[in-house]
């Protein structure tokens, strides 16, 4: 029976399987769940270090309780051990590369706590510098208990502010991660390494570093870099039209169950309340609402919004938030990182929660954080958030080289995805609109426009093809 099932699954991609009619039936069968997950685990394969290859056995490390990754286990140098908790299996592929100072051991989730207790007690006794690293706040109570009993510090890890060309829910490798030894940047209830940097770092004496930050900001704005970089197939102007004399306000939606809202002192705020606030404070403005990408792509759900009169919902997947920034005047958000990105575009940003960039004098704050009493510039905030705080996989030791590597990697990946979308459009022989023609003309697919049926479609759509080819603006 199982051989038949797996032969049927052999050529079925995981994304298609999850959308198939048998999903609900399989999801109610625990045995089949485990078998199917084991079958698909090869998609998230990572290189494990066999326990037999460790030069010197480590008391407490048991094969059934930990998964070892990273080449540090094979060195003669005995680095401190980091036990990682709450990491999904696909995240194990690259996490050890962000932690060159540690030997990385992922704790298995299904181990009974008494067995893990004995392992941790031996590790704590025989290894100086043992630390726990937790993904966000996904540790169980026993992890905090082990930490307190054996005096093991807990560090936390999260995605950095330049991540990838696809959403994290699609299991793409992150270009940057943040390791915080105090708290976490999204948690306003307590200090974090980033908040401490912003409170204490001497920016005035680091003029060269600030000059580099300004250059990075220009690059990010020119290339329209955000946390998730992708190119759309539509133009914002085609959707919202040319600017009038009315003020334009953008409301940035979030997943209301997100940790950044829970820990950002904004538990009572919803997307609906935020829209109402923006409308009340800007009665004569054009109000636009942008849902969270995870919601638009169906990875996470929000409660259904009421229909607001005069509100335009920009839920098209083919436009990006950085494109929208160029056509609005004011941004409202709860705690979204997009509010921080909007500062680089010179926009006024109103925040009702307490994200890491609020409380420093650059945003319109509706939530007070007494710990943050220093006045900073946007450049100083960007310096701390993009150069001093995160780690970049392309260069862990040099954040300037690392961020440039991350930027150009996500741009290249995004262009590859765009070319695939354009090729699909061209293969369909469907009529192209002006925005799509401009994208094709500015990409490596431009010779396809010389194809006679497509060429006729181009002339029918825009009349003057020369203007499109002469345009220097890429996207």
């Amino acid at each position: 029976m199982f051989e038949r099932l797996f032969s049927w699954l052999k050529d079925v991609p995981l994304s298609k399987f999850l959308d198939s009619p048998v999903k609900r039936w399989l999801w109610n069968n625990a045995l089949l769940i485990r078998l199917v997950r084991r079958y698909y685990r090869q998609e998230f394969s990572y290189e494990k270090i066999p326990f037999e290859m460790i030069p010197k056995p480590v008391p407490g490390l048991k094969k059934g309780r930990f998964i070892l990754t990273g080449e540090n286990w094979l060195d003669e140098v005995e680095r401190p051990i980091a036990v990682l908790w709450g990491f999904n299996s696909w995240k194990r592929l690259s996490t050890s590369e962000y932690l060159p100072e540690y030997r990385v051991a992922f704790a298995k989730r299904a181990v009974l706590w008494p067995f893990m207790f004995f392992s941790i007690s031996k590790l704590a006794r025989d290894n100086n510098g043992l630390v726990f690293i937790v993904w966000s706040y996904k540790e169980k109570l026993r992890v905090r208990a082990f930490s307190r009993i054996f005096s093991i510090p807990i560090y936390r890890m999260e995605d950095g502010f330049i991540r990838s060309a696809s959403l994290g829910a699609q299991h793409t490798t992150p270009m940057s991660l943040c390791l915080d030894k105090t708290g976490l940047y999204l948690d306003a209830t307590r200090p974090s390494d980033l908040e401490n940097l912003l409170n204490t770092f001497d920016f005035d004496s680091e003029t060269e570093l600030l000059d580099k930050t300004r250059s990075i900001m220009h690059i990010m704005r020119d290339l329209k870099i955000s946390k998730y970089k992708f190119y759309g197939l539509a133009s914002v102007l085609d959707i919202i039209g040319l600017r009038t004399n009315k003020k334009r306000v953008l409301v940035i939606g979030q997943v209301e169950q997100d940790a950044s809202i829970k820990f950002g002192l904004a538990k009572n705020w919803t997307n609906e309340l935020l829209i109402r606030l923006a409308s009340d404070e800007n009665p004569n403005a054009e109000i636009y609402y942008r849902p969270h990408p995870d919601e638009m792509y169906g990875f996470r759900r929000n409660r259904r919004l009421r229909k607001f009169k005069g509100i335009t919902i920009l839920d098209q997947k083919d436009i990006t938030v950085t494109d929208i920034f160029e056509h609005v005047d004011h941004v409202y958000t709860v705690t979204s990182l997009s509010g921080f990105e909007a500062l680089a575009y010179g926009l006024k940003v109103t925040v009702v929660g307490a994200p890491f960039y609020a409380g420093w004098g650059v945003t319109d704050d509706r939530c007070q954080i007494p710990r943050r009493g220093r006045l900073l510039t946007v450049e100083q905030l960007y310096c701390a958030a993009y150069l001093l705080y995160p780690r970049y996989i392309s260069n862990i030791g040099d954040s300037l080289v690392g961020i440039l590597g991350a930027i150009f990697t996500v741009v290249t990946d995004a262009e590859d995805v765009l070319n695939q979308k354009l090729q699909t459009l061209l293969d369909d022989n469907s009529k192209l609109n002006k925005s799509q023609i401009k994208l094709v003309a500015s990409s490596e697919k431009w010779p396809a426009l010389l194809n006679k049926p497509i060429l006729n479609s181009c002339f029918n759509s825009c009349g003057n093809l020369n203007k499109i080819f002469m345009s220097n603006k890429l996207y």
Side-chain angles (χ1 to χ4, degrees):
M1 173 183 175
F2 296 128
E3 290 180 358
R4 288 184 181 179
L5 174 65
F6 291 144
S7 64
W8 174 70
L9 290 172
K10 184 177 181 182
D11 298 321
V12 181
L14 182 60
S15 57
K16 186 175 181 180
F17 165 73
L18 292 178
D19 293 331
S20 65
V22 299
K23 170 187 171 183
R24 186 175 300 173
W25 179 75
L26 288 174
W27 221 244
N28 292 324
N29 190 308
L31 176 61
L32 282 177
I33 288 173
R34 298 189 67 176
L35 289 170
V36 171
R37 284 181 175 175
R38 180 174 296 179
Y39 176 81
Y40 276 112
R41 198 169 293 167
Q42 60 186 343
E43 289 195 7
F44 315 127
S45 61
Y46 46 89
E47 188 174 351
K48 303 177 185 178
I49 302 299
F51 283 73
E52 299 79 13
M53 293 182 62
I54 301 176
K56 183 180 178 181
V58 179
L61 283 183
K62 298 291 184 180
K63 189 173 183 180
R65 302 174 192 175
F66 298 95
I67 296 173
L68 311 183
T69 64
E71 296 182 356
N72 285 348
W73 287 105
L74 306 179
D75 294 342
E76 296 293 337
V77 180
E78 294 187 2
R79 295 177 177 84
I81 294 175
V83 179
L84 276 61
W85 308 82
F87 286 72
N88 294 328
S89 58
W90 61 270
K91 292 177 180 175
R92 297 170 186 162
L93 177 64
S94 59
T95 303
S96 59
E97 298 180 36
Y98 284 96
L99 301 168
E101 68 270 41
Y102 295 109
R103 290 176 288 171
V104 175
F106 289 90
K108 290 190 173 183
R109 299 184 179 184
V111 180
L112 296 176
W113 74 264
F115 297 109
M116 190 61 76
F117 178 88
F118 289 119
S119 290
I120 297 298
S121 65
K122 291 181 180 179
L123 285 172
R125 182 184 62 214
D126 299 329
N127 294 276
N128 293 327
L130 176 68
V131 300
F132 287 168
I133 299 179
V134 177
W135 183 262
S136 191
Y137 285 92
K138 292 187 176 181
E139 78 272 21
K140 294 183 179 179
L141 178 61
R142 65 180 181 180
V143 176
R144 295 195 292 272
F146 295 160
S147 170
R148 180 166 295 186
I149 292 170
F150 302 112
S151 300
I152 302 171
I154 293 181
Y155 302 158
R156 301 191 183 277
M157 185 169 269
E158 253 289 357
D159 285 329
F161 306 127
I162 299 177
R163 193 195 182 282
S164 56
S166 303
L167 298 175
Q170 295 173 302
H171 301 165
T172 50
T173 300
M175 293 294 104
S176 64
L177 291 178
C178 301
L179 178 67
D180 201 305
K181 300 181 179 181
T182 306
L184 201 56
Y185 68 85
L186 55 82
D187 185 2
T189 64
R190 68 193 75 183
S192 66
D193 287 352
L194 179 54
E195 185 179 287
N196 292 338
L197 273 171
L198 292 170
N199 267 322
T200 61
F201 190 80
D202 186 5
F203 292 103
D204 294 333
S205 64
E206 297 289 344
T207 55
E208 184 178 351
L209 183 61
L210 288 177
D211 289 339
K212 293 177 180 177
T213 302
R214 294 186 188 95
S215 299
I216 293 294
M217 290 177 66
H218 285 303
I219 293 173
M220 291 178 64
R221 181 166 178 174
D222 289 343
L223 296 177
K224 298 182 180 179
I225 298 296
S226 59
K227 185 175 182 178
Y228 303 105
K229 170 64 181 175
F230 65 94
Y231 294 114
L233 295 178
S235 169
V236 176
L237 288 178
D238 292 341
I239 299 170
I240 67 176
L242 294 173
R243 184 184 290 273
T244 64
N245 58 353
K246 285 188 175 182
K247 179 181 179 181
R248 285 181 165 178
V249 176
L250 173 65
V251 180
I252 298 176
Q254 292 180 247
V255 178
E256 294 172 355
Q257 298 77 29
D258 193 69
S260 66
I261 293 181
K262 176 182 178 182
F263 293 103
L265 307 180
K267 290 183 180 179
N268 296 324
W269 279 96
T270 64
N271 294 321
E272 195 171 292
L273 288 175
L274 190 64
I275 293 173
R276 186 176 289 116
L277 175 68
S279 300
D280 291 343
E281 294 186 348
N282 303 273
N284 299 318
E286 298 175 359
I287 309 294
Y288 300 93
Y289 172 71
R290 176 66 170 179
H292 190 277
D294 281 355
E295 183 183 357
M296 290 190 296
Y297 282 87
F299 293 115
R300 302 171 77 175
R301 290 184 178 181
N302 269 332
R303 70 185 74 182
R304 180 173 293 181
L305 284 173
R306 290 173 54 194
K307 290 185 177 180
F308 288 90
K309 186 177 180 180
I311 305 298
T312 303
I313 298 179
L314 302 176
D315 57 356
Q316 296 84 356
K317 298 177 184 178
D318 283 334
I319 60 173
T320 66
V321 69
T322 50
D323 291 330
I324 302 173
F325 287 156
E326 296 179 342
H327 303 281
V328 297
D329 307 294
H330 192 168
V331 170
Y332 279 75
T333 185
V334 181
T335 59
S336 174
L337 179 65
S338 295
F340 182 51
E341 296 167 348
L343 293 173
Y345 288 76
L347 300 177
K348 180 180 179 181
V349 178
T350 296
V351 289
V352 297
F356 70 88
Y357 55 89
W360 309 105
V362 298
T363 52
D364 172 25
D365 302 324
R366 306 301 170 88
C367 178
Q368 301 303 316
I369 312 105
R371 296 190 310 269
R372 306 174 188 177
R374 191 181 185 190
L375 296 179
L376 298 173
T377 65
V378 175
E379 290 81 4
Q380 291 169 339
L381 280 171
Y382 262 70
C383 179
Y386 285 97
L387 293 180
L388 300 178
Y389 183 58
R391 300 180 176 204
Y392 295 95
I393 196 169
S394 54
N395 195 311
I396 301 295
D398 189 332
S399 60
L400 182 63
V401 176
I403 190 173
L404 290 173
I407 288 172
F408 296 132
T409 299
V410 298
V411 167
T412 302
D413 292 345
E415 287 178 348
D416 289 342
V417 174
L418 175 64
N419 287 328
Q420 293 173 10
K421 292 180 180 179
L422 294 177
Q423 188 61 55
T424 302
L425 277 177
L426 295 170
D427 290 342
D428 289 343
N429 289 324
S430 56
K431 186 175 180 180
L432 305 180
N433 59 39
K434 292 182 181 181
S435 300
Q436 293 168 346
I437 295 169
K438 185 175 181 180
L439 282 171
V440 175
S442 305
S443 73
E444 64 182 33
K445 303 293 183 181
W446 67 266
L449 292 177
L450 303 179
N451 179 280
K452 187 175 181 180
I454 296 179
L455 195 63
N456 291 334
S457 171
C458 293
F459 280 111
N460 292 334
S461 296
C462 58
N464 192 349
L465 195 61
N466 291 329
K467 291 183 179 180
I468 294 176
F469 277 100
M470 295 300 292
S471 174
N472 292 323
K473 191 169 182 181
L474 199 58
Y475 302 111

